[in-house]
Amino acid sequence: MKCLPILLALIAAGCSRTANVPPGEKEPTKTGAAVLSEAGSEPDHIATEEQKARIAKLLNERLDGDMGYPFAQFANKLLANSRLHLSDGIWLMTLDRDVARAALQSPFPATYQPTLRELFDAIATQTSTAWQYNPSGKYVESDATETDKRAPTIFEFTPAQRARPFEVTLPAGWKSKDNGAFQS
């Protein structure tokens, strides 16, 4: 019963169910999440200049960076918050179960509202993924109300080898392990 108000809010926001996946394609992880792209990359695969401008503008919008949840739970929170506070609803997607379960921590001060680009880069660093805009719409069907017929904007995170932004020379006998957001 505690989930009923949340479910009703998500349905009212235009998020309803997962679309059928064409034969031969992976079933999306049931995470309430969606997104693919290299950190900082421009959405160059978008068909029109209008779409490129819309996504570029969206990526520069700011939102609360409270990331103290697993990826899938954060994605659900982001969808609800983006519907309320941004020009588009944002749906984060991953097909990787490890990414969906990855715990996120905010690298931002509590008083700072990061851009979506900064937020996605922080998520990608912590989950060892790349993110990009996914224009396919194949992961989400929307039963949006008459006042909001636009389906959520989908971004997909996929596992990827990420170049380290720095290099440290370790003393003899020491070993380094990449833990996403930090080295140990």
Side-chain angles (χ1 to χ4, degrees):
M1 286 305 282
K2 291 180 181 179
C3 294
L4 186 58
I6 295 170
L7 179 61
L8 292 175
L10 287 173
I11 291 171
C15 163
S16 61
R17 62 186 181 270
T18 304
N20 292 333
V21 177
E25 292 196 26
K26 284 185 171 181
E27 175 81 20
T29 304
K30 306 285 192 248
T31 64
V35 196
L36 294 187
S37 150
E38 184 71 31
S41 69
E42 292 303 316
D44 57 356
H45 61 283
I46 303 170
T48 67
E49 290 301 316
E50 181 181 329
Q51 287 174 317
K52 284 182 184 180
R54 184 178 69 82
I55 295 302
K57 179 179 180 267
L58 181 62
L59 289 173
N60 287 321
E61 290 188 47
R62 295 183 179 276
L63 192 64
D64 177 18
D66 181 20
M67 297 168 49
Y69 305 94
F71 178 93
Q73 196 173 355
F74 174 77
N76 288 333
K77 180 183 173 212
L78 181 64
L79 177 62
N81 281 340
S82 62
R83 286 273 188 196
L84 294 172
H85 303 289
L86 300 178
S87 60
D88 282 4
I90 306 298
W91 183 258
L92 301 183
M93 179 67 203
T94 186
L95 297 177
D96 188 280
R97 292 187 190 283
D98 291 336
V99 172
R101 294 179 184 136
L104 302 176
Q105 296 178 351
S106 179
F108 308 106
T111 57
Y112 181 73
Q113 288 194 332
T115 64
L116 287 179
R117 182 182 312 279
E118 291 169 331
L119 195 60
F120 295 168
D121 286 348
I123 292 169
T125 298
Q126 293 180 47
T127 58
S128 297
T129 57
W131 64 270
Q132 72 183 18
Y133 169 68
N134 185 324
S136 71
K138 68 181 178 181
Y139 298 114
V140 178
E141 287 182 13
S142 177
D143 292 336
T145 63
E146 288 295 319
T147 58
D148 185 12
K149 290 205 178 258
R150 179 179 276 178
T153 301
I154 300 172
F155 291 90
E156 188 170 359
F157 286 79
T158 56
Q161 290 291 334
R162 298 179 55 85
R164 292 182 182 177
F166 59 88
E167 189 173 323
V168 175
T169 304
L170 299 173
W174 286 29
K175 294 183 182 192
S176 175
K177 180 180 175 191
D178 187 351
N179 294 309
F182 64 93
Q183 303 292 315
S184 63

